């Protein structure tokens, strides 16, 4: 009866003091349901319990230096992946102007913008429905409206109007000022202030791009440049707001809901524009339309906002310093435009500025 009582007593198996040998032996007797394991087993149990107690004590606040701490797996750094995603967005955006020129072979500027936005919105709607994504919170709709007005409607429309009179290479280098514009708008919107080194490198890159632009155009500005400068402002606002929202929801949902928000307007605009502007379908026109709708508007903004959320708006925007130079390459390859001898020098200078901004503390 004494052995049975010991086995059913909860306090008999609690070992808290390894230095007390008699308590350890009593615990061993209780755990064996009546069979005494002997002193050796009791000592092993005491040492094991003492080790567990020490590990718990070492992880507690105020543990002495040198105490063993639990091993923790470090979280993966999101910056390399974010830089890669933002870079993919830049590549997609660099094809926008050549694709727009192709699209203008078949459509008018208003038709091209309305149809591209409508197609992109339909694709986004399919993804949102397939993923059963809930509606954004009411407080996010104002920001989504800024994204839609800036990158879905404003920038495509203004650049399409500019490309009727400006060459692709000229437009590309003017839009090279977008990183600096985005960083300035982001600083005003978020209240964050990048370091002085960051600003020096960003301004230097913008000066290189501006000097390249004026050198290529002979120092003269045209009506198309006014459209392009307006496109810079609205796009910078859209990028900034989209980057902020991408920290609250997945990036593809940001551009997806912005497209859906603009869908009713774009459907009406498509009907009106297609009835007023002549359409002459061609292979280039169809390919250009599909790319600006699916490549630039949906895929490009999807990876761009995800990358921006990972590395921050200022640093992501500086990656776009490479965009005009990439566009020059596509202009030569796809459109047959002549590349200026100054382009390689400008490319090296811009890449140096990108490297400095990526390493500077923001």
């Amino acid at each position: 009866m004494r052995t049975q009582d010991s086995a059913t007593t909860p306090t008999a198996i609690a070992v808290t003091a390894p230095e007390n040998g008699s308590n350890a032996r009593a615990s061993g007797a209780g755990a064996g349901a009546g069979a005494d394991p002997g002193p050796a087993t009791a000592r092993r149990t005491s040492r094991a319990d003492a080790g567990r107690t020490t590990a718990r004590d070492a992880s507690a606040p105020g543990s002495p230096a040198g105490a063993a701490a639990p091993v923790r797996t470090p979280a993966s750094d999101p910056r390399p992946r974010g830089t890669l995603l933002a870079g993919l967005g830049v590549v997609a955006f660099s094809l926008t102007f050549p694709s727009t020129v192709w699209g203008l072979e078949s459509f008018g500027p208003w038709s091209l913008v309305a149809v591209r936005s409508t197609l992109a919105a339909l694709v986004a709607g399919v993804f949102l429905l397939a993923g059963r994504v809930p509606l954004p919170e009411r407080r996010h709709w104002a920001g989504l409206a800024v994204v839609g007005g800036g990158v879905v409607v404003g920038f495509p429309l203004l650049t399409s109007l500019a490309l009727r009179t400006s060459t692709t290479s000229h437009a590309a280098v003017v839009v090279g000022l977008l990183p600096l514009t985005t960083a300035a708008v982001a600083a005003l919107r978020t209240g964050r202030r990048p370091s002085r080194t960051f600003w020096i490198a960003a301004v230097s890159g913008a000066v290189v791009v501006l000097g390249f632009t004026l050198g290529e155009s002979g120092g003269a500005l045209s009506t198309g440049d006014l459209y392009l400068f307006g496109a810079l402002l609205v796009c910078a606002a859209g990028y900034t707001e989209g980057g902020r929202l991408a920290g609250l929801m997945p990036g593809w949902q940001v551009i997806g809901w912005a497209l859906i928000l603009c869908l009713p307007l774009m459907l009406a605009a498509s009907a009106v524009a297609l009835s007023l502007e002549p359409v002459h379908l061609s292979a280039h026109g169809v390919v250009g339309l599909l790319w600006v709708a699916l490549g630039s508007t949906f895929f490009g903004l999807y990876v761009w906002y995800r990358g921006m959320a990972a590395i921050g708006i200022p640093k992501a925007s500086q990656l776009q310093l490479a965009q005009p130079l990439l566009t020059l390459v596509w202009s030569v390859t796809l459109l047959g435009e002549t590349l200026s001898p100054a382009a390689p020098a400008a490319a090296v200078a811009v890449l140096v500025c990108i490297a400095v901004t990526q390493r500077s503390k923001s």
Side-chain angles (χ1 to χ4, degrees):
M1 291 295 295
R2 187 168 301 173
T3 303
Q4 185 177 0
D5 293 340
S6 174
T8 59
T9 304
T11 56
I13 61 172
V15 179
T16 56
E19 65 274 336
N20 192 335
S22 60
N23 289 343
R25 285 192 295 271
S27 300
D36 187 356
T41 303
R43 285 193 297 271
R44 286 196 299 270
T45 303
S46 299
R47 285 194 297 270
D49 290 336
R52 286 192 293 268
T53 303
T54 303
R56 287 194 302 269
D57 293 340
S59 63
S63 300
V71 179
R72 297 177 181 177
T73 303
S76 59
D77 189 352
R79 288 174 295 181
R81 186 167 183 267
T83 302
L84 175 62
L85 290 173
L88 288 175
V90 170
V91 173
F93 297 153
S94 69
L95 284 162
T96 300
F97 286 173
S99 300
T100 300
V101 171
W102 277 6
L104 289 173
E105 293 181 10
S106 297
F107 302 91
W110 294 88
S111 300
L112 181 63
V113 172
V115 174
R116 70 180 273 186
S117 299
T118 300
L119 291 177
L122 294 176
V123 173
V126 170
F127 277 87
L128 291 171
L129 287 175
R132 297 182 179 180
V133 179
L135 289 173
E137 298 178 23
R138 182 178 299 179
R139 60 192 178 95
H140 296 326
W141 283 109
L144 291 171
V146 174
V147 175
V151 304
V152 176
V153 179
F155 184 80
L157 177 60
L158 292 172
T159 53
S160 295
L161 293 172
L163 287 171
R164 293 185 304 171
T165 57
S166 298
T167 64
T168 302
S169 58
H170 179 79
V173 289
V174 172
V175 175
L177 295 174
L178 183 58
L180 180 59
T181 308
T182 303
V185 172
L188 294 174
R189 174 67 178 86
T190 63
R192 297 176 61 184
R193 297 295 183 268
S195 65
R196 180 179 300 178
T197 302
F198 178 94
W199 282 115
I200 291 174
V203 172
S204 299
V207 168
V208 169
V209 171
L210 182 59
F212 183 83
T213 302
L214 295 177
E216 289 296 299
S217 61
L221 297 178
S222 64
T223 304
D225 292 323
L226 298 179
Y227 286 127
L228 293 172
F229 291 141
L232 288 176
L233 294 177
V234 298
C235 191
Y239 279 172
T240 300
E241 199 64 21
R244 184 187 67 84
L245 290 173
L248 305 175
M249 65 179 75
W252 72 274
Q253 293 183 21
V254 173
I255 184 57
W257 287 119
L259 286 165
I260 294 298
L261 187 62
C262 296
L263 180 57
L265 175 63
M266 291 297 99
L267 280 173
S270 297
V272 174
L274 289 173
S275 66
L276 297 177
E277 294 179 337
V279 176
H280 305 287
L281 292 180
S282 65
H284 278 178
V286 173
V287 171
L289 171 64
L290 291 178
W291 178 258
V292 293
L294 306 180
S296 300
T297 305
F298 185 74
F299 173 77
L301 290 173
Y302 162 64
V303 295
W304 172 249
Y305 282 139
R306 288 196 63 180
M308 194 186 299
I311 65 177
I313 296 173
K315 286 191 174 183
S317 67
Q318 301 314 303
L319 290 175
Q320 283 197 304
L321 287 171
Q323 182 176 327
L325 303 175
L326 287 173
T327 300
L328 291 178
V329 174
W330 302 130
S331 299
V332 172
T333 305
L334 301 177
L335 304 178
E337 294 184 4
T338 302
L339 185 63
S340 169
V348 172
V350 167
L351 290 176
V352 169
C353 292
I354 293 175
V356 173
T357 57
Q358 292 300 298
R359 290 179 177 273
S360 66
K361 182 178 180 181
S362 60

